[in-house]
Amino acid sequence: RNSDPWTSNTTPMKRSCLALLVLSLTLAAAFQIDSSKISVSGLSAGGFFAAQYFVAHSAELCGAGIVAGGPYYCAQGDMTTATTDCMSQPEMLDLKTYINAADRFASEGKIDATSNIRSKPVWLYSGQQDYTVYPGVVKVGQQFFEHFNARIGSEYGVESGHCLATKGYGNDCPTSFTPWINDCQYSAAEKIFEHIHGPAKHSVQAPADTYEFDQGKYTEGSPQSISLSQTGYYYIPPQCRHNGTDSVDGNSTGTACGLHISFHGCNQGATVLGDEYVTKTQYLEHAQARDIIVVFPQVQMDLFMNPSGCFDWWGYTNEDYAVKSGPQMKFVERIISTLRRGAEL
């Protein structure tokens, strides 16, 4: 008689262990990320950070959307430069400095080779009434990516202020004040996804619920130590879930989906706006229409190092802020790595 509980076909122990194994495999395969469709975007400080993350991880990412953000390494580790030259003095910006910095960091192995930017889609936006981050700053950012032969899309013709433009929600288009989401009858999120990921696959519908996640799982210390909130948000379109029963088309497709990370601007985190940036910027609707999972990392204010609650594009975390080893850069990389395994955050 075989009394080994691991080889017997009838023991409760084996049945329980097999059940746990099946459960763990099911959870691990909750969804599948198409690694060729990972992208980033952001507004203002989030736009600078999106450019920063895309340049550093250009081998892994397929594209970027930059709204009211400037060139990579614009601030050069200096807050004064960030809040003057990089926002309202485009004539002071030296394109060669930013190109040389990217090439130097790449040669030192601190970021991916800049050759990876070639042919990848980058979409840039600046409103004609934006007097916070001047259109000229964004155009220097465009020149940076043109130098590396990115596939450029841009929009400088909308009469908007400093904002993320939407169709049907927010302040009057030419204004620049909280929540920095304006009704311009123009959806920046739609244009970002269209340029990077192509036309919609499904009709645009109201999204399902978003999920919260503990950002502390992806930081080396407390998230607050690098000015991150405890809680972030993400959205998984129903059709992206494996073994599900509902989708935007009524079928369970379990399709491999893209992944997009959206970085909010200063004073736009959940500690200020609640979920307004997450739910009202129209990222969710247009991501769902293209089979894309979206993550919304959250920064919070820190009186001493980050009083306006911005992502770090000038060096308040440490001098490595613009390369892969930067604290917030590693945080985002860990989020992407987790989702690429098909695991929930």
Side-chain angles (χ1 to χ4, degrees):
R1 180 182 175 183
N2 185 356
S3 60
D4 183 350
W6 295 103
T7 57
S8 169
N9 290 325
T10 60
T11 63
M13 180 181 292
K14 183 173 184 181
R15 287 197 298 271
S16 297
C17 290
L18 286 173
L20 288 171
L21 177 61
V22 170
L23 177 61
S24 66
L25 289 174
T26 300
L27 290 173
F31 49 83
Q32 181 182 352
I33 298 295
D34 182 340
S35 293
S36 70
K37 297 179 179 179
I38 302 175
S39 57
V40 294
S41 70
L43 166 66
S44 193
F48 279 98
F49 191 86
Q52 182 172 289
Y53 193 86
F54 175 65
V55 172
H57 289 271
S58 58
E60 173 184 69
L61 301 184
C62 72
I66 301 163
V67 178
Y72 176 79
Y73 205 58
C74 186
Q76 302 172 68
D78 182 73
M79 184 176 182
T80 300
T81 301
T83 56
T84 54
D85 297 2
C86 295
M87 295 181 70
S88 59
Q89 299 179 29
E91 69 279 2
M92 300 298 293
L93 303 184
D94 181 16
L95 178 62
K96 181 178 286 189
T97 295
Y98 317 132
I99 292 170
N100 290 344
D103 284 334
R104 183 177 74 253
F105 291 149
S107 70
E108 295 169 350
K110 294 179 178 179
I111 66 173
D112 290 340
T114 52
S115 58
N116 289 295
I117 298 172
R118 175 181 292 274
S119 300
K120 291 190 174 178
V122 175
W123 188 83
L124 304 100
Y125 175 97
S126 182
Q128 290 190 350
Q129 301 299 317
D130 191 338
Y131 301 108
T132 304
V133 177
Y134 282 30
V137 172
V138 181
K139 290 177 181 178
V140 175
Q142 178 171 332
Q143 292 167 7
F144 174 90
F145 286 110
E146 286 173 342
H147 172 83
F148 291 111
N149 298 299
R151 179 167 62 83
I152 300 294
S154 62
E155 178 58 68
Y156 298 102
V158 179
E159 290 283 341
S160 76
H162 188 67
C163 69
L164 194 73
T166 75
K167 291 180 180 178
Y169 182 85
N171 301 328
D172 291 341
C173 191
T175 61
S176 297
F177 60 89
T178 187
W180 294 281
I181 303 168
N182 289 7
D183 178 8
C184 297
Q185 291 303 306
Y186 180 95
S187 175
E190 177 183 17
K191 296 300 183 181
I192 289 167
F193 285 131
E194 189 174 73
H195 184 68
I196 298 173
H197 296 283
K201 299 177 181 179
H202 318 285
S203 61
V204 177
Q205 300 180 20
D209 293 334
T210 57
Y211 300 90
E212 295 182 353
F213 70 97
D214 180 3
Q215 296 194 146
K217 292 166 59 179
Y218 307 99
T219 57
E220 293 178 356
S222 72
Q224 293 79 15
S225 68
I226 54 172
S227 203
L228 295 173
S229 301
Q230 193 66 45
T231 302
Y233 300 87
Y234 68 113
Y235 179 70
I236 303 177
Q239 70 271 23
C240 294
R241 288 197 174 278
H242 288 192
N243 305 314
T245 57
D246 62 341
S247 77
V248 292
D249 293 325
N251 299 307
S252 177
T253 61
T255 187
C257 284
L259 173 62
H260 187 81
I261 315 296
S262 174
F263 303 108
H264 63 73
C266 300
N267 296 305
Q268 280 193 313
T271 55
V272 179
L273 299 182
D275 68 355
E276 193 169 9
Y277 181 88
V278 174
T279 61
K280 301 300 185 182
T281 49
Q282 300 173 348
Y283 273 99
L284 303 183
E285 296 92 323
H286 292 290
Q288 178 167 281
R290 291 169 175 79
D291 301 337
I292 298 171
I293 294 168
V294 191
V295 182
F296 300 90
Q298 297 292 306
V299 168
Q300 67 180 26
M301 299 175 185
D302 182 287
L303 181 61
F304 298 103
M305 66 177 174
N306 185 24
S308 295
C310 314
F311 279 94
D312 186 12
W313 62 278
W314 67 82
Y316 67 74
T317 53
N318 68 26
E319 62 183 9
D320 292 331
Y321 73 96
V323 299
K324 287 185 175 183
S325 58
Q328 290 184 5
M329 301 282 273
K330 288 193 292 185
F331 158 74
V332 175
E333 184 178 15
R334 293 183 188 113
I335 289 173
I336 292 174
S337 178
T338 298
L339 290 169
R340 287 178 72 170
R341 297 198 302 269
E344 301 276 2
L345 293 178

